[in-house]
Amino acid sequence: VRKSFLEIERQSDVAALLFYRRLFELAPEAKPMFKADIQEQSKKLIEMLASALALLERPAELSAELEALGAKHATYGARAEHYPVVRRALFDMFEQVLKTKFTEETRVAWGELLNFIEGAMLRGAEASTRRDAGPFAPPHADSPSAPNYRNRLTTPGGETGDARGQIGRAHV
């Protein structure tokens, strides 16, 4: 993941613009959620990925940062169904920027990291929504705290684990 990110970072302006172009192709309804200049937003995307990679060895701290980010994104209108679209746009961008360097191993490694990122952000969004709804709000049907793919890591060997407190180290 780190090695491939160095290449993405070297081409960060192009990479982030490719991501947003693809995101808006896949989900044009998401475009109004982005009020800031897209170049500024692009810079934030690359900074967020860099921050996540910098905190890989400190998953509790990374999780807390991502939960706060998820809560913030929820206030912009981001919903659980947007996350798979963002993942798709990221993977399409990775393929375009990394070309042949976007190997199956790299794809799996990014998938594991994105599982962790999504799970933490969705937990933060849910907690924020529940906080806003009051202490007696029922859990959301698509709750990230319920066992599902967002909170699971799968290693290339087929082993699974809970992504809430750890990140697979095989591909970091």
Side-chain angles (χ1 to χ4, degrees):
V1 170
R2 285 188 174 110
K3 187 176 176 182
S4 63
F5 183 70
L6 289 175
E7 185 66 31
I8 291 165
E9 215 171 20
R10 276 193 281 273
Q11 301 179 53
S12 63
D13 291 341
V14 171
L17 291 174
L18 287 170
F19 165 77
Y20 283 106
R21 184 183 70 200
R22 184 64 175 141
L23 178 64
F24 299 146
E25 285 173 4
L26 294 170
E29 70 279 3
K31 195 168 187 169
M33 285 191 271
F34 295 87
K35 308 271 190 257
D37 172 56
I38 203 65
Q39 295 215 323
E40 182 63 31
Q41 194 65 41
S42 297
K43 190 172 160 184
K44 289 179 182 181
L45 170 70
I46 298 300
E47 287 172 358
M48 186 280 296
L49 291 172
S51 294
L53 290 173
L55 292 173
L56 279 177
E57 274 71 38
R58 298 188 309 270
E61 189 177 336
L62 174 57
S63 187
E65 291 286 330
L66 292 169
E67 287 174 15
L69 186 61
K72 187 175 181 180
H73 277 73
T75 67
Y76 302 142
R79 297 184 313 270
E81 60 267 19
H82 293 135
Y83 286 78
V85 178
V86 168
R87 176 187 290 254
R88 170 81 187 274
L90 279 170
F91 274 98
D92 289 350
M93 178 268 288
F94 293 155
E95 286 177 356
Q96 289 181 38
V97 172
L98 298 172
K99 298 179 180 27
T100 59
K101 294 177 187 171
F102 194 54
T103 64
E104 185 59 27
E105 182 180 11
T106 304
R107 178 183 296 278
V108 168
W110 274 105
E112 289 178 2
L113 179 57
L114 292 176
N115 284 345
F116 186 88
I117 290 171
E118 288 173 10
M121 288 183 71
L122 286 165
R123 283 192 307 280
E126 180 185 11
S128 148
T129 303
R130 293 193 68 193
R131 226 180 358 261
D132 293 345
F136 301 108
H140 189 275
D142 189 30
S143 170
S145 60
N148 63 35
Y149 81 95
R150 288 186 200 95
N151 293 324
R152 304 296 293 171
L153 291 177
T154 303
T155 66
E159 299 172 19
T160 60
D162 191 346
R164 293 178 197 158
Q166 61 184 352
I167 303 171
R169 301 216 182 269
H171 301 289
V172 178

